[in-house]
Amino acid sequence: MAGTDSTRDRIVAAAKAEFARHGIAGARVDRIAKTAQTSKERVYAHFGNKEALHAYVASRELAAAAEAIHLDPADLSSYAGQMFDYFTAHPDSHRFISWGRLELSPDSTGKPPATDRPDPYGEAILGKVETIRRAQQAGDLDPTWDPIDVMTLVTQIAHAWIAQPELAALARLAATDPTLAARRTAVIRAVRTLFPPVPLA
């Protein structure tokens, strides 16, 4: 049993690296098997197919991110800072999730393009949008913003340096303060400026 669990763990680790590097369409099960020191047949025996393997890894990645990053609509700058910290520390997770968002984004019918599976990334975002909407209704966040715009802008600001490594590299050369801490401070400041905490009555 221990050997089986070890093989499964190696497959999952290899799959995460493969999907982060090549996306779903570009990933190859033979490379995953080779990296995991097993056979393609064992990969299929554990997960059925490449799409199911990706879905399994995605569920783990999203759960890990949700555990580390907590959305408080009354303090969106803290949420942005947590995102910045988590994905700076886990760049492979950011690449993995970015590929999934790109390849599984819903088409005009609302279904992911190449599968009948629910889009886990979209579901996670919609849940946060509803959290923001409820906070607006409770008076904890400016209600003049559309909740989806709030979610989009905060996420984009938090990911700005992580998603644009060429600009991050230039910042290390050209910024007045080239440290990672300065980039984090800029993220928090930008989100706090856009979405300041609502003063207590």
Side-chain angles (χ1 to χ4, degrees):
M1 181 64 70
T4 301
D5 292 342
S6 176
T7 299
R8 186 181 178 88
D9 291 343
R10 291 199 308 271
I11 291 170
V12 170
K16 177 184 173 181
E18 178 75 7
F19 289 127
R21 189 173 299 116
H22 301 287
I24 305 169
R28 297 289 177 264
V29 174
D30 56 346
R31 286 197 297 253
I32 293 171
K34 183 176 180 180
T35 302
Q37 300 178 323
T38 189
S39 66
K40 288 174 64 175
E41 291 73 21
R42 295 306 302 160
V43 174
Y44 289 127
H46 279 286
F47 294 99
N49 56 49
K50 183 173 70 170
E51 289 72 24
L53 174 55
H54 178 272
Y56 177 80
V57 180
S59 68
R60 287 167 54 103
E61 288 301 304
L62 290 171
E67 179 69 22
I69 306 167
H70 304 285
L71 173 60
D72 178 0
D75 188 3
L76 290 170
S77 61
S78 173
Y79 175 65
Q82 292 173 55
M83 265 197 287
F84 180 93
D85 292 341
Y86 183 79
F87 288 115
T88 297
H90 303 88
D92 278 356
S93 295
H94 183 267
R95 286 190 292 270
F96 177 94
I97 290 173
S98 295
W99 272 113
R101 284 175 171 164
L102 177 66
E103 294 187 90
L104 296 177
S105 59
D107 60 18
S108 60
T109 68
K111 291 183 178 179
T115 176
D116 290 330
R117 291 177 176 275
D119 170 15
Y121 306 100
E123 289 182 349
I125 292 169
L126 286 176
K128 292 175 182 177
V129 168
E130 286 307 309
T131 299
I132 290 169
R133 192 187 311 279
R134 289 193 296 271
Q136 290 175 316
Q137 293 168 347
D140 296 329
L141 184 64
D142 183 351
T144 62
W145 287 91
D146 191 304
I148 191 67
D149 290 328
V150 175
M151 192 69 242
T152 299
L153 291 169
V154 171
T155 300
Q156 287 299 106
I157 292 169
H159 288 181
W161 297 108
I162 306 158
Q164 301 180 92
E166 72 284 3
L167 291 182
L170 289 174
R172 288 192 291 271
L173 297 173
T176 302
D177 182 345
T179 64
L180 187 65
R183 307 288 77 74
R184 184 185 193 276
T185 297
V187 164
I188 291 172
R189 180 184 177 188
V191 172
R192 187 173 291 149
T193 300
L194 270 178
F195 306 108
V198 174
L200 295 175

